[in-house]
Amino acid sequence: MSTLFRTAGRLRSGYDPAQVDEFFDRARRVYEGNGAVEALTARDVRLTAFDLVRGGYATGPVDAAMDRLERAFITRQRTDYVSAHGQQAWMDHLAAQARTLYGRLTRPDGERFAPAARGQQGYLPAEVDALCHRLVDYFDNGASLTSEEIRSVTFRRARGAKAYGEAAVDAFCDRAVEVLLGVE
C-alpha cells in the first residue's frame, strides 16, 4: 500500500487504492522513461477515473496529485515539442487548437452544442454559454482565466432539447484546459 495518500476511513468511500497505486507507479515509470511502449499524456491523466470503494484513498489529495501530474506531463510535452520543432511551432500548435475552440465560441448562445438526446440529461445551456463568454473574453481581451477554473466548473442539468449534450461540452472543456495549460 502506498504511503502517499491517506485513507478516507473504513466507513467512508474513497478511490480504490490498488487502482491509484498502479496508475501512479505507471505514470512514474513513463515519466522517467522506464515505462512500457505505451505513452501517457496529460490528457490521459485528466481522463483517468478511479472506482470508489469503502476505506479507499481520500479523494481530495489524489485529485490534487492528479492535477500536479497533469501539469508535469503538459510541461514535458511542451518542452519536448519546443526542443524538436521550436517555440514558434508550439505557439502555432496552440493557436490552431485555440482557433478550433473559437469556432465554437462564435456560435450564438443556445446553439454552440448539439442538444441532449430525448429524455437524456445534459447541461443547462445558459451556464455553458456563460463559460464560453469567459473564454471569448480570455481570447479577445486577455482576461484572466486558468485551466483550473475550467476544470472545476460545474453545470446544472436539464433534459432533452433544453440541454446541451454532455459529451460535446466535456470534450470542448477538455480542449480548453489543454490550451490554457499549454500557455500557463
Side-chain angles (χ1 to χ4, degrees):
M1 182 182 253
S2 172
T3 57
L4 292 176
F5 304 108
R6 62 179 171 75
T7 58
R10 291 184 316 167
L11 301 178
R12 300 187 76 181
S13 293
Y15 292 135
D16 183 329
Q19 290 176 353
V20 172
D21 290 343
E22 187 278 325
F23 178 80
F24 276 92
D25 184 53
R26 176 178 161 230
R28 181 189 48 75
R29 286 191 321 269
V30 169
Y31 193 81
E32 293 173 352
N34 301 324
V37 175
E38 66 180 310
L40 186 64
T41 66
R43 174 175 276 214
D44 296 330
V45 173
R46 184 173 50 262
L47 298 178
T48 296
F50 304 112
D51 294 333
L52 290 173
V53 297
R54 292 231 183 255
Y57 290 145
T59 59
V62 174
D63 289 343
M66 292 293 282
D67 291 347
R68 289 189 303 273
L69 187 62
E70 179 185 12
R71 284 188 184 283
F73 272 92
I74 196 71
T75 299
R76 184 175 187 180
Q77 177 187 349
R78 177 178 46 224
T79 301
D80 291 349
Y81 197 96
V82 168
S83 67
H85 306 287
Q87 181 67 30
Q88 187 58 48
W90 176 254
M91 296 310 289
D92 292 344
H93 170 72
L94 288 178
Q97 288 183 330
R99 279 191 297 278
T100 300
L101 292 174
Y102 202 78
R104 173 105 38 200
L105 294 172
T106 59
R107 296 178 186 176
D109 285 1
E111 298 177 14
R112 287 190 174 92
F113 301 93
R118 185 177 183 172
Q120 296 293 313
Q121 279 202 345
Y123 299 130
L124 197 62
E127 293 181 359
V128 174
D129 288 336
L131 175 65
C132 290
H133 289 276
R134 290 196 62 207
L135 279 163
V136 166
D137 200 27
Y138 170 80
F139 287 126
D140 287 350
N141 305 316
S144 176
L145 185 63
T146 66
S147 59
E148 184 58 35
E149 290 176 85
I150 294 175
R151 183 186 290 122
S152 63
V153 72
T154 57
F155 305 112
R156 285 184 292 164
R157 308 268 182 166
R159 286 199 177 273
K162 294 180 180 182
Y164 283 145
E166 291 180 11
V169 173
D170 289 344
F172 175 82
C173 288
D174 281 343
R175 292 193 74 173
V177 166
E178 286 178 18
V179 169
L180 292 175
L181 277 173
V183 174
E184 292 174 352

